Amino acid sequence: MSDPYETTEAHLDRLLGRALNSFDLPDRLVERLGTALAHSSSLHSTHHGPAAGHWRETHQHAYLLSDGGAVTLWELAYRLEQDRVTRHEVFVSRAEAALAAVRIFGEDPAAVRDFALLEEAEGEAAGQDPLSALLAASGPVQLRREYAVEQSADHARRVLRRAENADRPGEEVAVLLRGAYAHQITQAFGGRQCLADGRAAGFTLYEHAFVLLDGTELSLWEVEHTATPDGRHMCEVYESESTARGAMELRARVR
């Protein structure tokens, strides 16, 4: 955790001191950072690969310089399968941090996606598309989660609040999710029109995956459908994918 009373100089010394690759930063950039008057740090994203034992976080550090300019550094903190040691690397752009994740973790589609979105936002279209080049080089990939750090406990509360099914997750799950600090929403099944009591009804299934304060993961499975007597939109929430899919099958012939 950041110390709110830490000076900018001490913060920068600590950041560069723990980074394994700080010597790669341009000398001119380090000199400019030496004039920093103020700083702000935030957790940008957190990424878990529980099956492989991987973990990483990306932090954004912004510095206001004495000449009125600003510099942003991107810090990649990560642990690997073979040990519990947290390592740090620092980069001058988000794209470099994303590519470093590809280098460290191998075929990491979440990091590639970060890089591709950045390139699109910055309008860099010269030469071969960076995403295409990376995918061509890496071959088949195994999906991992990429969590967003943003009002996750409130998101969980809203998901549970809109659930109309009687067997929705109870207070025990709600209490756990009050400690959620990151989440990811994935559409697991969507846009299907099926027959329910002779009428057309739409079904969509979402997974809301959360990271809790102790690092564990917990998912809610939300079914959105119109298989109601009056055709209105309805939301149901379940603790497991199998239960959610079973609920859809009860309401319609989902093929």
Side-chain angles (χ1 to χ4, degrees), residues 66-102:
S66 60
D67 61 5
V71 168
T72 298
L73 295 180
W74 295 84
E75 180 184 23
L76 183 65
Y78 60 93
R79 288 195 294 265
L80 301 177
E81 179 181 9
Q82 61 267 29
D83 56 41
R84 300 289 296 174
V85 177
T86 300
R87 299 171 174 84
H88 302 263
E89 297 188 26
V90 65
F91 305 92
V92 297
S93 72
R94 182 183 171 194
E96 289 186 7
L99 288 174
V102 175

PDB file of all heavy atoms in Angstrom, residues 66-102:
ATOM      1  N   SER A  66       9.021  19.822 -12.272  1.00  0.00           N
ATOM      2  CA  SER A  66       9.210  21.248 -11.955  1.00  0.00           C
ATOM      3  C   SER A  66       9.051  22.131 -13.181  1.00  0.00           C
ATOM      4  O   SER A  66       8.769  23.329 -13.056  1.00  0.00           O
ATOM      5  CB  SER A  66      10.598  21.466 -11.328  1.00  0.00           C
ATOM      6  OG  SER A  66      11.619  21.060 -12.233  1.00  0.00           O
ATOM      7  N   ASP A  67       9.238  21.576 -14.398  1.00  0.00           N
ATOM      8  CA  ASP A  67       9.098  22.385 -15.607  1.00  0.00           C
ATOM      9  C   ASP A  67       7.645  22.442 -16.100  1.00  0.00           C
ATOM     10  O   ASP A  67       7.363  22.959 -17.176  1.00  0.00           O
ATOM     11  CB  ASP A  67      10.008  21.846 -16.717  1.00  0.00           C
ATOM     12  CG  ASP A  67       9.667  20.405 -17.102  1.00  0.00           C
ATOM     13  OD1 ASP A  67       8.680  19.848 -16.585  1.00  0.00           O
ATOM     14  OD2 ASP A  67      10.411  19.832 -17.929  1.00  0.00           O
ATOM     15  N   GLY A  68       6.722  21.894 -15.294  1.00  0.00           N
ATOM     16  CA  GLY A  68       5.309  21.903 -15.660  1.00  0.00           C
ATOM     17  C   GLY A  68       4.863  20.690 -16.445  1.00  0.00           C
ATOM     18  O   GLY A  68       3.676  20.501 -16.695  1.00  0.00           O
ATOM     19  N   GLY A  69       5.829  19.855 -16.831  1.00  0.00           N
ATOM     20  CA  GLY A  69       5.491  18.641 -17.566  1.00  0.00           C
ATOM     21  C   GLY A  69       5.085  17.518 -16.623  1.00  0.00           C
ATOM     22  O   GLY A  69       5.064  17.675 -15.402  1.00  0.00           O
ATOM     23  N   ALA A  70       4.775  16.385 -17.210  1.00  0.00           N
ATOM     24  CA  ALA A  70       4.367  15.221 -16.428  1.00  0.00           C
ATOM     25  C   ALA A  70       4.936  13.965 -17.069  1.00  0.00           C
ATOM     26  O   ALA A  70       5.107  13.889 -18.287  1.00  0.00           O
ATOM     27  CB  ALA A  70       2.852  15.127 -16.341  1.00  0.00           C
ATOM     28  N   VAL A  71       5.235  12.989 -16.237  1.00  0.00           N
ATOM     29  CA  VAL A  71       5.749  11.696 -16.695  1.00  0.00           C
ATOM     30  C   VAL A  71       4.957  10.594 -16.007  1.00  0.00           C
ATOM     31  O   VAL A  71       4.664  10.693 -14.810  1.00  0.00           O
ATOM     32  CB  VAL A  71       7.253  11.534 -16.375  1.00  0.00           C
ATOM     33  CG1 VAL A  71       7.707  10.091 -16.594  1.00  0.00           C
ATOM     34  CG2 VAL A  71       8.084  12.476 -17.226  1.00  0.00           C
ATOM     35  N   THR A  72       4.614   9.568 -16.764  1.00  0.00           N
ATOM     36  CA  THR A  72       3.915   8.410 -16.203  1.00  0.00           C
ATOM     37  C   THR A  72       4.779   7.173 -16.374  1.00  0.00           C
ATOM     38  O   THR A  72       5.309   6.911 -17.461  1.00  0.00           O
ATOM     39  CB  THR A  72       2.565   8.183 -16.901  1.00  0.00           C
ATOM     40  OG1 THR A  72       1.730   9.323 -16.681  1.00  0.00           O
ATOM     41  CG2 THR A  72       1.872   6.946 -16.360  1.00  0.00           C
ATOM     42  N   LEU A  73       4.937   6.428 -15.300  1.00  0.00           N
ATOM     43  CA  LEU A  73       5.627   5.141 -15.333  1.00  0.00           C
ATOM     44  C   LEU A  73       4.619   4.036 -15.050  1.00  0.00           C
ATOM     45  O   LEU A  73       3.687   4.230 -14.254  1.00  0.00           O
ATOM     46  CB  LEU A  73       6.752   5.088 -14.296  1.00  0.00           C
ATOM     47  CG  LEU A  73       7.927   6.047 -14.494  1.00  0.00           C
ATOM     48  CD1 LEU A  73       8.938   5.862 -13.372  1.00  0.00           C
ATOM     49  CD2 LEU A  73       8.589   5.832 -15.847  1.00  0.00           C
ATOM     50  N   TRP A  74       4.815   2.899 -15.710  1.00  0.00           N
ATOM     51  CA  TRP A  74       3.933   1.739 -15.532  1.00  0.00           C
ATOM     52  C   TRP A  74       4.730   0.626 -14.863  1.00  0.00           C
ATOM     53  O   TRP A  74       5.759   0.202 -15.368  1.00  0.00           O
ATOM     54  CB  TRP A  74       3.390   1.268 -16.876  1.00  0.00           C
ATOM     55  CG  TRP A  74       2.494   2.293 -17.506  1.00  0.00           C
ATOM     56  CD1 TRP A  74       2.870   3.351 -18.260  1.00  0.00           C
ATOM     57  CD2 TRP A  74       1.084   2.363 -17.395  1.00  0.00           C
ATOM     58  NE1 TRP A  74       1.779   4.074 -18.643  1.00  0.00           N
ATOM     59  CE2 TRP A  74       0.660   3.493 -18.127  1.00  0.00           C
ATOM     60  CE3 TRP A  74       0.116   1.575 -16.770  1.00  0.00           C
ATOM     61  CZ2 TRP A  74      -0.670   3.857 -18.236  1.00  0.00           C
ATOM     62  CZ3 TRP A  74      -1.209   1.928 -16.872  1.00  0.00           C
ATOM     63  CH2 TRP A  74      -1.604   3.066 -17.602  1.00  0.00           C
ATOM     64  N   GLU A  75       4.247   0.199 -13.704  1.00  0.00           N
ATOM     65  CA  GLU A  75       4.946  -0.831 -12.933  1.00  0.00           C
ATOM     66  C   GLU A  75       4.213  -2.160 -13.032  1.00  0.00           C
ATOM     67  O   GLU A  75       3.011  -2.243 -12.794  1.00  0.00           O
ATOM     68  CB  GLU A  75       5.054  -0.412 -11.467  1.00  0.00           C
ATOM     69  CG  GLU A  75       5.770  -1.440 -10.607  1.00  0.00           C
ATOM     70  CD  GLU A  75       5.780  -1.068  -9.141  1.00  0.00           C
ATOM     71  OE1 GLU A  75       4.893  -0.281  -8.724  1.00  0.00           O
ATOM     72  OE2 GLU A  75       6.643  -1.559  -8.401  1.00  0.00           O
ATOM     73  N   LEU A  76       4.951  -3.202 -13.358  1.00  0.00           N
ATOM     74  CA  LEU A  76       4.418  -4.556 -13.407  1.00  0.00           C
ATOM     75  C   LEU A  76       4.945  -5.320 -12.201  1.00  0.00           C
ATOM     76  O   LEU A  76       6.160  -5.506 -12.059  1.00  0.00           O
ATOM     77  CB  LEU A  76       4.848  -5.245 -14.701  1.00  0.00           C
ATOM     78  CG  LEU A  76       4.324  -6.661 -14.946  1.00  0.00           C
ATOM     79  CD1 LEU A  76       2.809  -6.654 -15.122  1.00  0.00           C
ATOM     80  CD2 LEU A  76       5.010  -7.272 -16.160  1.00  0.00           C
ATOM     81  N   ALA A  77       4.034  -5.723 -11.302  1.00  0.00           N
ATOM     82  CA  ALA A  77       4.398  -6.544 -10.141  1.00  0.00           C
ATOM     83  C   ALA A  77       3.829  -7.943 -10.375  1.00  0.00           C
ATOM     84  O   ALA A  77       2.668  -8.089 -10.762  1.00  0.00           O
ATOM     85  CB  ALA A  77       3.838  -5.937  -8.861  1.00  0.00           C
ATOM     86  N   TYR A  78       4.627  -8.976 -10.138  1.00  0.00           N
ATOM     87  CA  TYR A  78       4.155 -10.316 -10.485  1.00  0.00           C
ATOM     88  C   TYR A  78       4.821 -11.392  -9.623  1.00  0.00           C
ATOM     89  O   TYR A  78       5.879 -11.197  -9.047  1.00  0.00           O
ATOM     90  CB  TYR A  78       4.413 -10.606 -11.961  1.00  0.00           C
ATOM     91  CG  TYR A  78       5.865 -10.543 -12.391  1.00  0.00           C
ATOM     92  CD1 TYR A  78       6.665 -11.687 -12.401  1.00  0.00           C
ATOM     93  CD2 TYR A  78       6.445  -9.345 -12.787  1.00  0.00           C
ATOM     94  CE1 TYR A  78       8.002 -11.630 -12.792  1.00  0.00           C
ATOM     95  CE2 TYR A  78       7.771  -9.280 -13.190  1.00  0.00           C
ATOM     96  CZ  TYR A  78       8.541 -10.426 -13.191  1.00  0.00           C
ATOM     97  OH  TYR A  78       9.854 -10.369 -13.573  1.00  0.00           O
ATOM     98  N   ARG A  79       4.120 -12.527  -9.530  1.00  0.00           N
ATOM     99  CA  ARG A  79       4.656 -13.729  -8.904  1.00  0.00           C
ATOM    100  C   ARG A  79       4.506 -14.877  -9.892  1.00  0.00           C
ATOM    101  O   ARG A  79       3.516 -14.944 -10.620  1.00  0.00           O
ATOM    102  CB  ARG A  79       3.929 -14.063  -7.601  1.00  0.00           C
ATOM    103  CG  ARG A  79       4.240 -13.123  -6.460  1.00  0.00           C
ATOM    104  CD  ARG A  79       3.803 -13.705  -5.131  1.00  0.00           C
ATOM    105  NE  ARG A  79       2.362 -13.842  -5.053  1.00  0.00           N
ATOM    106  CZ  ARG A  79       1.539 -12.949  -4.509  1.00  0.00           C
ATOM    107  NH1 ARG A  79       2.039 -11.833  -4.003  1.00  0.00           N
ATOM    108  NH2 ARG A  79       0.247 -13.162  -4.471  1.00  0.00           N
ATOM    109  N   LEU A  80       5.455 -15.798  -9.885  1.00  0.00           N
ATOM    110  CA  LEU A  80       5.442 -16.935 -10.783  1.00  0.00           C
ATOM    111  C   LEU A  80       5.104 -18.213 -10.028  1.00  0.00           C
ATOM    112  O   LEU A  80       5.082 -18.248  -8.793  1.00  0.00           O
ATOM    113  CB  LEU A  80       6.801 -17.073 -11.481  1.00  0.00           C
ATOM    114  CG  LEU A  80       7.235 -15.853 -12.308  1.00  0.00           C
ATOM    115  CD1 LEU A  80       8.615 -16.070 -12.883  1.00  0.00           C
ATOM    116  CD2 LEU A  80       6.223 -15.568 -13.418  1.00  0.00           C
ATOM    117  N   GLU A  81       4.861 -19.259 -10.792  1.00  0.00           N
ATOM    118  CA  GLU A  81       4.408 -20.528 -10.234  1.00  0.00           C
ATOM    119  C   GLU A  81       5.420 -21.127  -9.264  1.00  0.00           C
ATOM    120  O   GLU A  81       5.044 -21.716  -8.249  1.00  0.00           O
ATOM    121  CB  GLU A  81       4.132 -21.504 -11.378  1.00  0.00           C
ATOM    122  CG  GLU A  81       3.673 -22.888 -10.938  1.00  0.00           C
ATOM    123  CD  GLU A  81       3.457 -23.784 -12.137  1.00  0.00           C
ATOM    124  OE1 GLU A  81       3.813 -23.390 -13.259  1.00  0.00           O
ATOM    125  OE2 GLU A  81       2.937 -24.889 -11.937  1.00  0.00           O
ATOM    126  N   GLN A  82       6.707 -20.976  -9.548  1.00  0.00           N
ATOM    127  CA  GLN A  82       7.712 -21.708  -8.803  1.00  0.00           C
ATOM    128  C   GLN A  82       8.034 -21.131  -7.431  1.00  0.00           C
ATOM    129  O   GLN A  82       8.679 -21.799  -6.620  1.00  0.00           O
ATOM    130  CB  GLN A  82       9.014 -21.816  -9.612  1.00  0.00           C
ATOM    131  CG  GLN A  82       9.652 -20.472  -9.962  1.00  0.00           C
ATOM    132  CD  GLN A  82       9.213 -19.975 -11.322  1.00  0.00           C
ATOM    133  OE1 GLN A  82       8.111 -20.282 -11.768  1.00  0.00           O
ATOM    134  NE2 GLN A  82      10.073 -19.214 -11.990  1.00  0.00           N
ATOM    135  N   ASP A  83       7.624 -19.903  -7.137  1.00  0.00           N
ATOM    136  CA  ASP A  83       7.918 -19.338  -5.826  1.00  0.00           C
ATOM    137  C   ASP A  83       6.876 -18.284  -5.469  1.00  0.00           C
ATOM    138  O   ASP A  83       5.972 -17.992  -6.224  1.00  0.00           O
ATOM    139  CB  ASP A  83       9.330 -18.732  -5.788  1.00  0.00           C
ATOM    140  CG  ASP A  83       9.539 -17.676  -6.871  1.00  0.00           C
ATOM    141  OD1 ASP A  83       8.612 -16.877  -7.108  1.00  0.00           O
ATOM    142  OD2 ASP A  83      10.621 -17.659  -7.484  1.00  0.00           O
ATOM    143  N   ARG A  84       7.010 -17.725  -4.296  1.00  0.00           N
ATOM    144  CA  ARG A  84       6.090 -16.694  -3.813  1.00  0.00           C
ATOM    145  C   ARG A  84       6.751 -15.325  -3.800  1.00  0.00           C
ATOM    146  O   ARG A  84       6.275 -14.408  -3.143  1.00  0.00           O
ATOM    147  CB  ARG A  84       5.617 -17.047  -2.399  1.00  0.00           C
ATOM    148  CG  ARG A  84       4.894 -18.362  -2.290  1.00  0.00           C
ATOM    149  CD  ARG A  84       3.525 -18.308  -2.924  1.00  0.00           C
ATOM    150  NE  ARG A  84       2.667 -17.370  -2.235  1.00  0.00           N
ATOM    151  CZ  ARG A  84       1.450 -17.028  -2.638  1.00  0.00           C
ATOM    152  NH1 ARG A  84       0.983 -17.524  -3.773  1.00  0.00           N
ATOM    153  NH2 ARG A  84       0.718 -16.181  -1.952  1.00  0.00           N
ATOM    154  N   VAL A  85       7.848 -15.170  -4.522  1.00  0.00           N
ATOM    155  CA  VAL A  85       8.591 -13.913  -4.539  1.00  0.00           C
ATOM    156  C   VAL A  85       7.894 -12.919  -5.472  1.00  0.00           C
ATOM    157  O   VAL A  85       7.579 -13.243  -6.616  1.00  0.00           O
ATOM    158  CB  VAL A  85      10.040 -14.145  -5.005  1.00  0.00           C
ATOM    159  CG1 VAL A  85      10.783 -12.820  -5.091  1.00  0.00           C
ATOM    160  CG2 VAL A  85      10.747 -15.104  -4.048  1.00  0.00           C
ATOM    161  N   THR A  86       7.655 -11.722  -4.978  1.00  0.00           N
ATOM    162  CA  THR A  86       7.072 -10.674  -5.813  1.00  0.00           C
ATOM    163  C   THR A  86       8.189  -9.895  -6.493  1.00  0.00           C
ATOM    164  O   THR A  86       9.108  -9.400  -5.836  1.00  0.00           O
ATOM    165  CB  THR A  86       6.225  -9.706  -4.978  1.00  0.00           C
ATOM    166  OG1 THR A  86       5.172 -10.433  -4.342  1.00  0.00           O
ATOM    167  CG2 THR A  86       5.616  -8.626  -5.858  1.00  0.00           C
ATOM    168  N   ARG A  87       8.110  -9.820  -7.816  1.00  0.00           N
ATOM    169  CA  ARG A  87       9.099  -9.109  -8.611  1.00  0.00           C
ATOM    170  C   ARG A  87       8.470  -7.863  -9.214  1.00  0.00           C
ATOM    171  O   ARG A  87       7.269  -7.824  -9.444  1.00  0.00           O
ATOM    172  CB  ARG A  87       9.657 -10.027  -9.708  1.00  0.00           C
ATOM    173  CG  ARG A  87      10.362 -11.272  -9.175  1.00  0.00           C
ATOM    174  CD  ARG A  87      10.685 -12.247 -10.291  1.00  0.00           C
ATOM    175  NE  ARG A  87      11.473 -13.384  -9.828  1.00  0.00           N
ATOM    176  CZ  ARG A  87      10.961 -14.479  -9.279  1.00  0.00           C
ATOM    177  NH1 ARG A  87       9.644 -14.580  -9.122  1.00  0.00           N
ATOM    178  NH2 ARG A  87      11.750 -15.455  -8.878  1.00  0.00           N
ATOM    179  N   HIS A  88       9.293  -6.871  -9.498  1.00  0.00           N
ATOM    180  CA  HIS A  88       8.803  -5.606 -10.034  1.00  0.00           C
ATOM    181  C   HIS A  88       9.631  -5.211 -11.253  1.00  0.00           C
ATOM    182  O   HIS A  88      10.852  -5.359 -11.257  1.00  0.00           O
ATOM    183  CB  HIS A  88       8.902  -4.492  -8.989  1.00  0.00           C
ATOM    184  CG  HIS A  88       8.150  -4.774  -7.730  1.00  0.00           C
ATOM    185  ND1 HIS A  88       6.883  -4.298  -7.493  1.00  0.00           N
ATOM    186  CD2 HIS A  88       8.499  -5.503  -6.632  1.00  0.00           C
ATOM    187  CE1 HIS A  88       6.483  -4.709  -6.307  1.00  0.00           C
ATOM    188  NE2 HIS A  88       7.444  -5.440  -5.764  1.00  0.00           N
ATOM    189  N   GLU A  89       8.946  -4.699 -12.266  1.00  0.00           N
ATOM    190  CA  GLU A  89       9.602  -4.090 -13.418  1.00  0.00           C
ATOM    191  C   GLU A  89       8.860  -2.800 -13.743  1.00  0.00           C
ATOM    192  O   GLU A  89       7.655  -2.680 -13.483  1.00  0.00           O
ATOM    193  CB  GLU A  89       9.601  -5.037 -14.621  1.00  0.00           C
ATOM    194  CG  GLU A  89      10.391  -6.318 -14.393  1.00  0.00           C
ATOM    195  CD  GLU A  89      10.552  -7.154 -15.642  1.00  0.00           C
ATOM    196  OE1 GLU A  89      10.508  -6.568 -16.752  1.00  0.00           O
ATOM    197  OE2 GLU A  89      10.711  -8.392 -15.529  1.00  0.00           O
ATOM    198  N   VAL A  90       9.566  -1.829 -14.306  1.00  0.00           N
ATOM    199  CA  VAL A  90       8.975  -0.524 -14.574  1.00  0.00           C
ATOM    200  C   VAL A  90       9.205  -0.150 -16.032  1.00  0.00           C
ATOM    201  O   VAL A  90      10.256  -0.463 -16.607  1.00  0.00           O
ATOM    202  CB  VAL A  90       9.556   0.541 -13.614  1.00  0.00           C
ATOM    203  CG1 VAL A  90      11.032   0.757 -13.845  1.00  0.00           C
ATOM    204  CG2 VAL A  90       8.774   1.837 -13.706  1.00  0.00           C
ATOM    205  N   PHE A  91       8.203   0.524 -16.625  1.00  0.00           N
ATOM    206  CA  PHE A  91       8.233   0.833 -18.047  1.00  0.00           C
ATOM    207  C   PHE A  91       7.700   2.247 -18.287  1.00  0.00           C
ATOM    208  O   PHE A  91       6.983   2.805 -17.457  1.00  0.00           O
ATOM    209  CB  PHE A  91       7.397  -0.181 -18.834  1.00  0.00           C
ATOM    210  CG  PHE A  91       7.816  -1.604 -18.587  1.00  0.00           C
ATOM    211  CD1 PHE A  91       7.214  -2.349 -17.583  1.00  0.00           C
ATOM    212  CD2 PHE A  91       8.834  -2.182 -19.332  1.00  0.00           C
ATOM    213  CE1 PHE A  91       7.622  -3.654 -17.324  1.00  0.00           C
ATOM    214  CE2 PHE A  91       9.248  -3.479 -19.086  1.00  0.00           C
ATOM    215  CZ  PHE A  91       8.634  -4.218 -18.084  1.00  0.00           C
ATOM    216  N   VAL A  92       8.036   2.795 -19.461  1.00  0.00           N
ATOM    217  CA  VAL A  92       7.630   4.160 -19.769  1.00  0.00           C
ATOM    218  C   VAL A  92       6.278   4.214 -20.476  1.00  0.00           C
ATOM    219  O   VAL A  92       5.740   5.292 -20.694  1.00  0.00           O
ATOM    220  CB  VAL A  92       8.685   4.870 -20.641  1.00  0.00           C
ATOM    221  CG1 VAL A  92      10.001   4.992 -19.885  1.00  0.00           C
ATOM    222  CG2 VAL A  92       8.898   4.134 -21.959  1.00  0.00           C
ATOM    223  N   SER A  93       5.719   3.064 -20.841  1.00  0.00           N
ATOM    224  CA  SER A  93       4.409   3.062 -21.492  1.00  0.00           C
ATOM    225  C   SER A  93       3.628   1.820 -21.101  1.00  0.00           C
ATOM    226  O   SER A  93       4.204   0.789 -20.710  1.00  0.00           O
ATOM    227  CB  SER A  93       4.549   3.110 -23.022  1.00  0.00           C
ATOM    228  OG  SER A  93       5.022   1.872 -23.521  1.00  0.00           O
ATOM    229  N   ARG A  94       2.344   1.920 -21.221  1.00  0.00           N
ATOM    230  CA  ARG A  94       1.479   0.785 -20.933  1.00  0.00           C
ATOM    231  C   ARG A  94       1.727  -0.345 -21.928  1.00  0.00           C
ATOM    232  O   ARG A  94       1.651  -1.525 -21.588  1.00  0.00           O
ATOM    233  CB  ARG A  94       0.017   1.226 -20.995  1.00  0.00           C
ATOM    234  CG  ARG A  94      -0.985   0.141 -20.669  1.00  0.00           C
ATOM    235  CD  ARG A  94      -2.397   0.656 -20.841  1.00  0.00           C
ATOM    236  NE  ARG A  94      -3.364  -0.422 -20.749  1.00  0.00           N
ATOM    237  CZ  ARG A  94      -4.639  -0.305 -21.115  1.00  0.00           C
ATOM    238  NH1 ARG A  94      -5.067   0.840 -21.602  1.00  0.00           N
ATOM    239  NH2 ARG A  94      -5.477  -1.316 -21.000  1.00  0.00           N
ATOM    240  N   ALA A  95       2.019   0.012 -23.171  1.00  0.00           N
ATOM    241  CA  ALA A  95       2.283  -1.001 -24.190  1.00  0.00           C
ATOM    242  C   ALA A  95       3.499  -1.845 -23.811  1.00  0.00           C
ATOM    243  O   ALA A  95       3.487  -3.067 -23.963  1.00  0.00           O
ATOM    244  CB  ALA A  95       2.497  -0.333 -25.551  1.00  0.00           C
ATOM    245  N   GLU A  96       4.565  -1.199 -23.307  1.00  0.00           N
ATOM    246  CA  GLU A  96       5.755  -1.945 -22.913  1.00  0.00           C
ATOM    247  C   GLU A  96       5.454  -2.873 -21.748  1.00  0.00           C
ATOM    248  O   GLU A  96       5.961  -4.003 -21.692  1.00  0.00           O
ATOM    249  CB  GLU A  96       6.874  -0.978 -22.540  1.00  0.00           C
ATOM    250  CG  GLU A  96       7.481  -0.232 -23.724  1.00  0.00           C
ATOM    251  CD  GLU A  96       8.691   0.593 -23.309  1.00  0.00           C
ATOM    252  OE1 GLU A  96       9.121   0.472 -22.144  1.00  0.00           O
ATOM    253  OE2 GLU A  96       9.195   1.356 -24.146  1.00  0.00           O
ATOM    254  N   ALA A  97       4.633  -2.416 -20.804  1.00  0.00           N
ATOM    255  CA  ALA A  97       4.263  -3.263 -19.666  1.00  0.00           C
ATOM    256  C   ALA A  97       3.472  -4.476 -20.130  1.00  0.00           C
ATOM    257  O   ALA A  97       3.667  -5.592 -19.639  1.00  0.00           O
ATOM    258  CB  ALA A  97       3.461  -2.451 -18.650  1.00  0.00           C
ATOM    259  N   ALA A  98       2.565  -4.271 -21.093  1.00  0.00           N
ATOM    260  CA  ALA A  98       1.772  -5.376 -21.616  1.00  0.00           C
ATOM    261  C   ALA A  98       2.648  -6.389 -22.345  1.00  0.00           C
ATOM    262  O   ALA A  98       2.482  -7.599 -22.193  1.00  0.00           O
ATOM    263  CB  ALA A  98       0.682  -4.845 -22.547  1.00  0.00           C
ATOM    264  N   LEU A  99       3.592  -5.902 -23.126  1.00  0.00           N
ATOM    265  CA  LEU A  99       4.493  -6.800 -23.842  1.00  0.00           C
ATOM    266  C   LEU A  99       5.411  -7.545 -22.877  1.00  0.00           C
ATOM    267  O   LEU A  99       5.784  -8.695 -23.119  1.00  0.00           O
ATOM    268  CB  LEU A  99       5.308  -6.016 -24.862  1.00  0.00           C
ATOM    269  CG  LEU A  99       4.525  -5.534 -26.090  1.00  0.00           C
ATOM    270  CD1 LEU A  99       5.392  -4.644 -26.964  1.00  0.00           C
ATOM    271  CD2 LEU A  99       4.004  -6.710 -26.896  1.00  0.00           C
ATOM    272  N   ALA A 100       5.768  -6.894 -21.772  1.00  0.00           N
ATOM    273  CA  ALA A 100       6.584  -7.572 -20.763  1.00  0.00           C
ATOM    274  C   ALA A 100       5.816  -8.740 -20.157  1.00  0.00           C
ATOM    275  O   ALA A 100       6.385  -9.793 -19.868  1.00  0.00           O
ATOM    276  CB  ALA A 100       6.996  -6.587 -19.675  1.00  0.00           C
ATOM    277  N   ALA A 101       4.513  -8.563 -19.971  1.00  0.00           N
ATOM    278  CA  ALA A 101       3.688  -9.652 -19.441  1.00  0.00           C
ATOM    279  C   ALA A 101       3.671 -10.829 -20.407  1.00  0.00           C
ATOM    280  O   ALA A 101       3.684 -11.989 -19.992  1.00  0.00           O
ATOM    281  CB  ALA A 101       2.271  -9.155 -19.179  1.00  0.00           C
ATOM    282  N   VAL A 102       3.651 -10.536 -21.709  1.00  0.00           N
ATOM    283  CA  VAL A 102       3.729 -11.601 -22.709  1.00  0.00           C
ATOM    284  C   VAL A 102       5.054 -12.341 -22.574  1.00  0.00           C
ATOM    285  O   VAL A 102       5.119 -13.575 -22.626  1.00  0.00           O
ATOM    286  CB  VAL A 102       3.571 -11.031 -24.125  1.00  0.00           C
ATOM    287  CG1 VAL A 102       3.779 -12.116 -25.174  1.00  0.00           C
ATOM    288  CG2 VAL A 102       2.195 -10.409 -24.303  1.00  0.00           C
TER     289      VAL A 102
END
